[in-house]
Amino acid sequence: MLIVAGSLYVDPDQRAAYLADCVEVVRQARSAPGCVDFAIGADLVEPGRINVYERWESEEQLLDFRGSGPAEEQTVAIRGAEVHRYLISGVEAP
């Protein structure tokens, strides 16, 4: 299992539009083979920050979903990013 998590940064006045453009991506990801969870949302404290969380059964399934990547408009809107991939060897209840 792997987790992709972190933050994207966009202009604060563009965040709502960016997130609206992501709705269909979230729907597609959640129905993709191997996707356990997929969420993109506005940060509650930083106006230009978007939090990203993805959980996949395998890297192959993640890469199959990724395809060509985000639309050019989304890529241009991103002013910075700090997103990492974490390989998970086990899962336990809290």
Side-chain angles (χ1 to χ4, degrees):
M1 176 155 316
L2 61 109
I3 292 174
V4 177
S7 303
L8 304 176
Y9 297 90
V10 298
D11 290 334
D13 61 339
Q14 297 297 312
R15 184 171 72 178
Y18 185 94
L19 290 171
D21 288 344
C22 292
V23 171
E24 188 56 33
V25 172
V26 173
R27 283 190 184 117
Q28 290 173 2
R30 288 181 179 176
S31 66
C35 181
V36 178
D37 196 8
F38 194 100
I40 300 172
D43 187 78
L44 297 176
V45 177
E46 295 180 51
R49 179 176 164 167
I50 296 169
N51 297 315
V52 176
Y53 177 82
E54 305 175 34
R55 196 162 34 130
W56 294 87
E57 291 177 1
S58 73
E59 182 172 8
E60 180 181 33
Q61 291 167 316
L62 167 66
L63 296 176
D64 285 346
F65 171 74
R66 287 273 184 256
S68 60
E72 184 177 341
E73 300 84 34
Q74 287 180 319
T75 302
V76 170
I78 298 171
R79 301 290 180 225
E82 187 176 322
V83 179
H84 302 284
R85 182 176 63 174
Y86 302 89
L87 301 175
I88 307 302
S89 62
V91 178
E92 299 175 358

